[in-house]
Amino acid sequence: MTIDRRKLLQGTAALAAGSALIGPFGARKALAQAAAATFQPEEGASLRLLRWVPFVAGEEEAWNTNTAAFTEATGVQVQIDQESWEDVRPKAAVAANVGSGPDMVMSWFDDPFQYPDKLVDVTDLCTTLGDQHGGWYDGLRAYAEQDGKFIAVPLCAIGNAICYRDSHMKAAGFEEFPTDTAGFLELCKAMQAAGTPAGFPHGKAVGDGNNYAHWLLWSHGGMTVNEAGEVAINSPETLAAINYAIELYKTFIPGTESWLDINNNRAFLAGEVSLTANGVSLYYAAINDPALAEIAEDIRTTTMPIGPVGESVELHQTSTISIFNHCQFPNAAKAYIEFMYQADQMNAWLEGASAYCCQALKGFADNPVWTSNPIHAPYAKASESLRENGYAGPLGAASAGTMADYVLVDMFAEAVSGQRTPEEAIANAERRIARYYR
């Protein structure tokens, strides 16, 4: 596969389009959008948004540009605070329960289900946006809706895909990337033998750790709970998943049991590993650094291999935007979100993110970012294909608590590191999951 570097600039070109919003013509257009909006900000309103630290500079720049356009059009100042991925969850929980702090938060997965009574009902907003833009993807909608009421606005799926060095794979004796878990294990063994090993996080990584752990479990047919919400982790399928993870772990570089979301990126870009799973941000970190040009040219991406279950089953990281009840200007918050989801702003944000963020609304699926570069292809269907946390049970406080407690991540880490036998690790996970599913 040959990658045309000129295509890589297309994502940043979108930023220029986004920036145009606050030029003379763009300002008039933004004013017209704001005037036609469903929600009108309260007099004297101002807002604070807590968001996760961006991994792609263009995504942040586009979001900020759109926010500036909203302020230009409405006079509502929006302060954006950033926290590390791991810290967003506890900071948001404190704000919800104390009743002060940011007005809105970009949350992970099913975090809003941990404090639904602390959030503004945004059903009217989500219904409007869904009607305007082709409807919500089911998986992302599930993360935001409880008992027929939206407690958050679906934002995006951050797709997860295999990232590997093409030349290293071929040097290990593989012309094509394996599509099943058995072949994938053989590839990792061969790459380790060739001195170009793989590495996946077994630490408490919000995105990469959870993505990997859920893929391991689900690809072998395991589940945390059944459809009735009864704990079902203790199964032959879970044991098979752990035994597979142990064999895979033997091919990794040392230390992956402590990796957080940033560590696999760093190891890959430092040349310490040649295969991992990540968002497309890994690729853009390489392409934007002239010193990493050789690695950037060699990177390829593909979907996670299919296991014994016989179908692709991936978690993919998701994010929603919630408005806290303590927000003094809920109409302004809804107006802000409505503005950010209008076509000009949302398309500019998706392109600025360069395939890092997959749209929550089906009407944006034809954004040119998905076909601008073959590297983007494995990330294009993340919103459509994701499986929700807590499978096969319903989403709720129990599924959110289990993920926030890293139960699955810990189960695999305990087993691969030898801290517990596979059976002990499963029993420990079963006990911990049962605390939440009472």
Side-chain angles (χ1 to χ4, degrees):
M1 178 174 61
T2 300
I3 298 171
D4 184 348
R5 287 178 176 274
R6 286 174 296 182
K7 293 178 179 176
L8 309 178
L9 301 177
Q10 293 180 359
T12 54
L15 293 176
S19 299
L21 278 173
I22 54 175
F25 175 76
R28 289 197 296 272
K29 192 171 184 180
L31 281 168
Q33 290 177 344
T38 307
F39 304 94
Q40 296 300 317
E42 298 88 346
E43 188 71 24
S46 62
L47 298 167
R48 281 181 60 196
L49 168 67
L50 173 62
R51 64 156 295 170
W52 29 267
V53 169
F55 267 56
V56 176
E59 178 271 309
E60 178 189 18
E61 292 168 15
W63 188 273
N64 291 347
T65 296
N66 290 339
T67 298
F70 172 76
T71 298
E72 179 77 13
T74 64
V76 178
Q77 296 291 329
V78 183
Q79 176 182 327
I80 300 176
D81 302 326
Q82 297 183 359
E83 290 288 348
S84 69
W85 284 25
E86 292 80 10
D87 288 341
V88 167
R89 179 174 286 141
K91 294 276 186 180
V94 169
N97 289 297
V98 172
S100 66
D103 301 291
M104 302 170 284
V105 60
M106 288 185 184
S107 294
W108 297 128
F109 297 110
D110 39 359
D111 283 355
F113 288 85
Q114 297 194 81
Y115 37 78
D117 58 333
K118 309 293 185 183
L119 302 175
V120 172
D121 182 344
V122 288
T123 304
D124 49 1
L125 172 59
C126 290
T127 300
T128 298
L129 294 175
D131 290 344
Q132 290 175 342
H133 304 294
W136 302 98
Y137 287 105
D138 290 342
L140 280 157
R141 179 174 183 146
Y143 279 116
E145 192 175 31
Q146 184 183 57
D147 299 328
K149 183 178 76 175
F150 280 91
I151 57 175
V153 182
L155 176 61
C156 67
I158 298 176
N160 184 259
I162 293 282
C163 302
Y164 66 98
R165 295 283 299 272
D166 188 52
S167 64
H168 293 181
M169 178 192 73
K170 290 174 178 172
F174 286 73
E175 284 302 311
E176 300 290 338
F177 199 92
T179 58
D180 60 23
T181 48
F184 180 61
L185 177 58
E186 294 308 310
L187 170 62
C188 289
K189 288 179 178 177
M191 291 184 71
Q192 182 199 28
T196 56
F200 288 73
H202 278 293
K204 290 179 171 56
V206 174
D208 297 331
N210 273 309
N211 284 322
Y212 181 55
H214 284 79
W215 169 75
L216 284 168
L217 180 69
W218 290 343
S219 66
H220 288 78
M223 61 185 72
T224 51
V225 297
N226 60 24
E227 293 182 356
E230 299 165 337
V231 181
I233 192 69
N234 198 340
S235 70
E237 290 81 9
T238 302
L239 183 59
I242 288 182
N243 286 331
Y244 178 81
I246 290 173
E247 294 305 309
L248 209 52
Y249 176 77
K250 293 175 183 175
T251 73
F252 295 172
I253 65 169
T256 59
E257 59 273 19
S258 63
W259 277 7
L260 301 180
D261 284 291
I262 192 62
N263 294 99
N264 58 333
N265 302 51
R266 289 174 176 167
F268 190 98
L269 297 174
E272 296 170 355
V273 299
S274 297
L275 192 162
T276 190
N278 207 81
V280 76
S281 54
L282 175 63
Y283 172 69
Y284 279 96
I287 208 75
N288 290 326
D289 186 344
L292 300 176
E294 181 181 350
I295 292 178
E297 188 66 28
D298 199 29
I299 291 177
R300 300 294 183 272
T301 56
T302 188
T303 54
M304 297 292 288
I306 294 174
V309 74
E311 61 178 327
S312 178
V313 281
E314 297 188 51
L315 177 70
H316 295 302
Q317 194 167 0
T318 59
S319 187
T320 59
I321 303 179
S322 300
I323 305 171
F324 291 114
N325 277 341
H326 61 250
C327 174
Q328 296 182 41
F329 309 107
N331 284 338
K334 289 183 179 180
Y336 173 61
I337 296 171
E338 181 183 24
F339 181 86
M340 300 294 274
Y341 279 66
Q342 294 310 300
D344 286 347
Q345 289 78 258
M346 181 54 66
N347 279 318
W349 183 62
L350 292 172
E351 293 182 39
S354 301
Y356 188 63
C357 298
C358 190
Q359 65 281 336
L361 286 160
K362 297 175 183 176
F364 297 106
D366 59 353
N367 187 293
V369 73
W370 301 118
T371 53
S372 64
N373 186 326
I375 288 289
H376 297 173
Y379 303 99
K381 303 294 184 184
S383 297
E384 181 179 344
S385 64
L386 68 85
R387 174 182 278 183
E388 298 95 349
N389 177 42
Y391 175 85
L395 286 167
S399 64
T402 301
M403 174 171 278
D405 202 12
Y406 294 95
V407 175
L408 280 191
V409 172
D410 288 347
M411 180 184 74
F412 284 105
E414 291 167 358
V416 301
S417 65
Q419 181 182 348
R420 299 180 191 270
T421 67
E423 292 77 8
E424 290 171 344
I426 293 173
N428 191 41
E430 184 178 37
R431 177 183 58 79
R432 293 175 64 188
I433 294 170
R435 290 178 182 172
Y436 296 101
Y437 287 87
R438 293 177 177 174

